[in-house]
Amino acid sequence: MTVRQGSFDEPGPDSEATRILPLLTGDGDQRLLVNWVESHEVYTLVSPDEQVSSADFDCCILDGDALKTHGETLRERERKREAESVLLPCLLLLPEADISVISTDQGEIADGVVFETVDEVVSMPIKKAELEWRTKALLRLRSQSLKLDRKQQQLRKFKQAADAAGHAIYITALDGTIEYVNHAFEEMTGYASSEALGETPQMLDSGEMSPAYFDRLWDTISGGEVWKEEIINQRKDNSVYHAFQTIAPVMNEHGEPIKFVALQSDITQRVEAEHRLERFKDIVERVGDPIMLQDCDGRFCLVNEALVEYTGHTKQELLGKTEYAFMDEESAARIEARKQQVLTQEHAVQYTISPSFSTVESATFSTIRYPYYGEEGTIEGTIAICRDITGLQTRENQLQVIDRVLRHNLRNNMTTIGMFAEKIAAANSGETATDAERIHATSQRINRTVEKERKITKFLTEQPGERTVDLVTIVESVCGRISDKYPAANISCDLPDACAVHATSTLEQAFIELLENAVVHSDKKEPSVEVQLLANSGNSTLHVADDGPGIPEMDRKVLTHGTAIEQLYHGSGLGLWLAHLIVTYSDGTVTFSENEPRGSVVTIQFLS
């Protein structure tokens, strides 16, 4: 059946939705009952011609014959309403002497027949006043059943919502005994519902909270107020978790707490992230180099104390500003260009800059600027880490000066020695000529060593930038140059159509050192060197195989592991060390193996 409960707030004589179905078989009685219903503005007459199985009514008034006709239908409807705890009252009117409809053949009242169908039996004739109060009484019972049904529905909805909630919910009695927990509570704490019911929240006590915390908690909720605080609890497996807990008292009609409802949100990850953030912030503040976060317009969003010291401005003065606020305009413009490069290309850039500040005359910084991405994964600015290399640059400049002076003097002196040695060899014979030739060869070797040292010093002090290079073009060029320089050598190249890697701009020098080393140190009149370049997905490999006497163990360590320079003992070692440095700075690796049947194979691998 369909009952319009939404409009039936208070069934009874004061309710507009109270619908009465009259089912009296006597025409006169039926007419009187219909007139009685229609005389009440608060009652609505339901047509007796409607199907009883589907009629929408709040109370049915019937007689014995109608009960015989519609009894089974009414009983079926009542059974359906019992499942929802909603009463659909029926008032049976019987002549005082006629109880056959409600008695058995033994003369007993047939409870199973009547009281499962009707709720009250009244003898006729009945006065209007009695009919009035009996109808009101039945409608009050229906109103109470509907109220109870609404509360039960609300309770069911609450339980469904609580069980589906992603936060832990539990309900306790006034003494703290747990009476209900939802599924999220079980998942968060590790305790099953059967383990938690009858216990108190003390089962979750981690020992991290002070007695004063719990005293304040109980004082708050016992006084009828809501408690909201973070708490550290302990799961069944003894692991600790952080939760934000809200506990609210459930009040009765007198405003007194009768139960407590608690909701917990697991904030362990958030708390741990905050702790990590605090540690990171502490580290950033302790770093002596300026670190800053800037938005896409270049405005400072985060700065550390090191930048404050260099600029002479407070953090409050710097936030929201750009470098133009404290730096010379030329340097600020260069930095702005670098920011735009990072924002456009979305990869880190490294640069050196020497700005002027109000607090110091000048300083030189080696800066790495990274793209900064927000929570949505879109770029929202840049992060810069600036290392003060003022002193380092001064030392490098001094080193370069000393290097140039020593190299210039040494090379000039060695050239002079070589010239005198040539004259002595030309003017003499025998051992004197032989010694002079050795002196000349030694001076040339020293000059070659000086030249390699110059290249190494330049590489270490200048550190050329990285870029995408074409290995095929570089290898072809180097093989051609070495073949022209040493025409007796047989150099073959096996190269792919294309092979690009990200490497330093001096990568070509590394290949020159490897090929020249293979040719110069060969013990054959016509040395052979095979160069093979393989372009694979994710990495590229270059093999340099020779048929010489092999690379000495010391030189192998120099080439593959970058043995310390003080251990180098001849010019070839310096060249191999330079090759190792260049390949390493290009994110490559160098390995060595024996060639068959004779010689060495040097393999370089690069990330593509």
Side-chain angles (χ1 to χ4, degrees), residues 103-138:
S103 63
T104 66
D105 54 0
Q106 286 82 21
E108 299 173 347
I109 298 297
D111 292 345
V113 175
V114 177
F115 295 106
E116 286 185 2
T117 308
V118 300
D119 300 277
E120 193 163 356
V121 181
V122 180
S123 298
M124 292 198 306
I126 182 172
K127 295 181 179 180
K128 289 184 178 180
E130 183 179 2
L131 179 61
E132 191 85 41
W133 71 261
R134 286 185 181 275
T135 302
K136 287 182 178 181
L138 289 176

Side-chain angles (χ1 to χ4, degrees), residues 238-310:
N238 296 326
S239 62
V240 170
Y241 70 95
H242 294 257
F244 185 85
Q245 183 169 249
T246 300
I247 305 178
V250 179
M251 303 295 200
N252 61 14
E253 61 272 16
H254 304 296
E256 301 168 338
I258 56 174
K259 294 183 186 299
F260 300 110
V261 177
L263 183 145
Q264 281 193 355
S265 303
D266 191 338
I267 59 171
T268 305
Q269 291 185 344
R270 192 200 77 188
V271 171
E272 292 176 349
E274 289 176 350
H275 289 168
R276 288 195 300 270
L277 180 60
E278 287 299 322
R279 288 196 296 270
F280 292 154
K281 289 175 65 177
D282 183 60
I283 292 172
V284 169
E285 288 296 342
R286 292 174 181 270
V287 171
D289 296 321
I291 298 176
M292 64 211 72
L293 168 64
Q294 294 167 274
D295 63 18
C296 291
D297 293 323
R299 295 186 295 260
F300 292 106
C301 302
L302 176 69
V303 297
N304 67 344
E305 283 296 330
L307 184 62
V308 169
E309 293 178 6
Y310 276 104

Side-chain angles (χ1 to χ4, degrees), residues 491-511:
I491 299 176
S492 63
C493 292
D494 181 7
L495 306 175
D497 294 334
C499 181
V501 298
H502 196 66
T504 67
S505 57
T506 58
L507 185 59
E508 184 178 50
Q509 185 62 42
F511 296 159

Side-chain angles (χ1 to χ4, degrees), residues 8-9 24 48 53 89 96 167 221 279 373 398 446 525 534 564-565:
F8 195 83
D9 294 331
L24 300 183
S53 60
E96 187 173 358
H167 303 293
I221 62 177
R279 288 196 296 270
Y373 298 92
Q398 294 171 346
I446 291 175
K525 291 183 178 180
L534 303 175
I565 192 169

Side-chain angles (χ1 to χ4, degrees), residues 10-16 18 40-43 132 135-137 139-140:
E10 287 293 335
D14 297 328
S15 173
E16 295 180 0
T18 304
H40 292 75
E41 293 182 358
V42 295
Y43 293 159
E132 191 85 41
T135 302
K136 287 182 178 181
L139 290 172
R140 279 195 295 270

